[in-house]
Every structure is written in structure tokens, then in C-alpha cells.
Amino acid sequence: MVALMEVYQEEDEAYQELVTVATMFFQYLLQPFRDMREVATSCKLDILKSLDEDDLGPKRIVALEKEAQEWTRRAEEAIVSIQDITVNYFKETVKALAGMQKQMEQDEKRFGQAAWATAAPRLERLKLMLAREALQLMRAKELCLNHKRAEIRRKMEDLPEQEKNIDVVDELEIQYYEVQLELYEVKFEILKYEEILLITQLDSIKRLIKDKQDEVVYYDPCENLEELRVLDRVTGLQDDVHPEVRELSRQRQQLESRRGWICTRRARLRNRTVGAQGSSPSPRFQGGGSLLSRKVKEASKIRLWPTHDDCFVFLYGYN
């Protein structure tokens, strides 16, 4: 076990080096797009200021409006690239942490409970780190999908009246519907990792409470029984709860309440998913072989209503 802990220490150092190098690399990739975003935003603001304050002719106004639209497009492209690079960064960190956690879970099977107690805090720490990084990844994906959905909506609004034929509109509706289903799936994943994060914190607190309660207290020899009774009344050793245990219990209750809140949000999201399935964009695409119907079937695989465990956690605050 001592040798394994040394390996874990080296692995932690290697992961920190990976994070440092990956951060530098992805910052290098992000910088050009950040510069483009700042330049495009600055140029757009200058154009809008000129349109608002300067006395310009009609042709100049039209030219500046087109230029402002071009800078807006460049800024949005830079934002999309920034979001994609951010997603790729968190994919790398999540992959590394998932591998470390999987290896520790396999190592745990080789040791007994007493021997593994030394490595248990590291496994809890890895679970917390993985849940946090996975949350960052899912939220970055959510931003990408929100931007994609807004882009489809903008295409619908900017579509000229003469080009708003049935096929084009239906295609955009299908794209919007697919993105919406992906967005719901990502939101489910966010709630999942938020709950994993809370469960890991709860397990850690429960372990600390158990360790505190199992502590053996040794007293100095006392010849007079009355002196010991007086000491008990003064210090409250018999009835009073240890302050650290009381604080840990308070934190545990807070985490259980937050977990119940997450279960409530998940139930609401399932109901919204049901509503999205019930309001498909076009009746023509509800046939058995259409792309839209396949997406509906995929979405129907998601649990749509709270399970017994969800309701139990929500009502009673623990599982």
C-alpha cells in the first residue's frame, strides 16, 4: 500500500503538469479568436456610434450597416471557435480524471477496508474533481447548443418572404428540434453530475462523522468519582455533541436539501421534454421513417417521470 500511495503521488504530479501544459496550449489556441472578438466588437461599436452621431448620407448609412453586420458575423464566429476550443479542453481533463478514477476503483478491489482507508480520501477527491470538470464540459456544450439554436432562429427570421417555401422552413424546424433535444440531453447530464458532486460530498461528510463518533476518548486517572461527575457537568462530555460533528451534520442537511432541489429540477425538465415531444414542428415529418420521428424515439428513451428514488430523496432529503 505504501508503494501504491507513492505511485498515486507521482500520478497527481503528472496530472498537474498535464493541466498546466494543456492550459497553456489551449490559451495559445484561444488568443487569436479572443483578439478577433475584441476587434470586431470595437469596430461594430465605432460604426454604431458613427451612425448615431454623424450626419451621413443614405449610401454611407447603408454601407456602414453592412459593415456592422460583417463585424457582427466575425465576432460570432470567434465566439463559436472559443466555445469549441473550451469544449475540447475539458474533454481532455475529463478523460484524464476518468482514467485515474477507474484505475483507483480497480485497485480498491485488491485491498481490505482497513488498508484502503489510507487511499479513500484521494478517491473521493478524484470523484469531486471529475464531477466538476464534467460539469464544466456539459456547460460548455450547453453554450454551444444555445448559440446553434439562436443561429437557426436567426436564419428563420432573416429568410426572405419569397424564399420561405415549405421545404426550407421544415428543414430549419427539424434542425431546431434536433438541437432542442440535444440541449435537453445536456441539461440532464448537468443535473446528473451536479447530483454526483453532491453525493460524493455527502459520502465524505458521512465518513468524517463516523470517524469522529468512533474516536476513543481517554481520560486521566481520577481517584474521586464526584470530581469526575462535576467535570462531566461542566464540560458536557456526556450529553453534548461534539462541535465538529454538529457542523458536519449541518453541512450534510444542506447538501441533502440541494440534492432534493436537483431532483425537482430534473422532474421539471422531464416534463418539458414531454412537451417538446408533443409539439413536433411539422405533421408531415411524423411518419415512421422520417428523421424527426427517429429523434422523437431517441428522446423517448429518456426517463420522463421521477423515479421512486427521486421522490424519496425529494420528500425525505436522503436516499
Side-chain angles (χ1 to χ4, degrees), residues 208-219:
L208 291 175
I209 291 176
K210 186 177 183 301
D211 292 343
K212 290 293 182 182
Q213 292 175 343
D214 292 344
E215 283 183 355
V216 179
V217 180
Y218 296 94
Y219 299 97

Side-chain angles (χ1 to χ4, degrees), residues 67-122:
E67 188 177 352
Q69 292 177 357
E70 178 64 20
W71 284 117
T72 301
R73 183 187 63 81
R74 292 184 181 182
E76 290 177 352
E77 290 179 352
I79 291 173
V80 171
S81 299
I82 290 172
Q83 292 173 347
D84 291 339
I85 293 173
T86 304
V87 168
N88 292 332
Y89 168 78
F90 285 114
K91 281 182 179 179
E92 295 298 325
T93 56
V94 167
K95 181 180 178 181
L97 287 171
M100 294 167 64
Q101 178 180 328
K102 182 179 179 181
Q103 184 60 50
M104 277 205 76
E105 290 173 348
Q106 293 177 355
D107 294 339
E108 185 179 6
K109 300 176 182 178
R110 298 161 43 199
F111 297 91
Q113 184 176 1
W116 187 253
T118 307
R122 181 180 186 267

Side-chain angles (χ1 to χ4, degrees), residues 54 110 117 171 282:
D54 298 342
R110 298 161 43 199
E171 179 64 27
S282 177

